Amino acid sequence: LVCYAGADAEAAAAAFAPLLSLRTVRMSQIDEKPYSDVLEEPHPPAGVRSMASSTLVERVDDRVVDAVDRYYAGGTTERMMFVRQLGGAANRVAADATAFAHRNVEALVLGGLFAPEDTSDDELLARLQPFEEFHDLGVGSYPGFVATNLPEDVERIYPPATLARLREVKRANDPGNVFRNNFNIVP
């Protein structure tokens, strides 16, 4: 799935052309639709569980492209991945202006997998392990695309200075840690 933000169909086709020339294309369809339709909440089919992890990369360079190739090595059908371009206006906001501090990144890389509904959490984590390489290439994670709730997730989502600032806010406003059903920041 590729999204081109603009109304010029010829410009969209030109932007997609390099992707369509990479390997065998099984299907290609370009539709114009409202952005809200692009953000539709995905739901796996009945009997299927999913798990995902994400990282933010400063550049989509050869190291990232090679890691994508390795992620798909072996022809597994349970894995999926997408790369979302970031930057622009989002990167013009100061890193300390919001809780989202990763303002120097070019892309979000998400890796996920689908497995039978009875697959244990531990097995899902083991199957998602090949995505760990991307965390080594990245500078953080985006919380909207992290399906685990591991202690290291909070550290990936918030850089040290941001996490320290959020802990101060938490200590001042929620010292009892009532609001903890999220990527919990311990006061």
Side-chain angles (χ1 to χ4, degrees), residues 18 23 62 88 106 152:
R23 293 213 176 157
D62 288 344
E106 182 176 85
E152 60 265 26

Side-chain angles (χ1 to χ4, degrees), residues 20-21 24 45 62 64 111 114 121 145 148 155 158 162 177 184:
L20 295 172
S21 68
T24 303
D62 288 344
V64 173
F114 300 94
D121 287 348
F145 296 112
T148 57
E155 263 109 63
Y158 305 111
T162 303
N177 203 22
N184 189 32

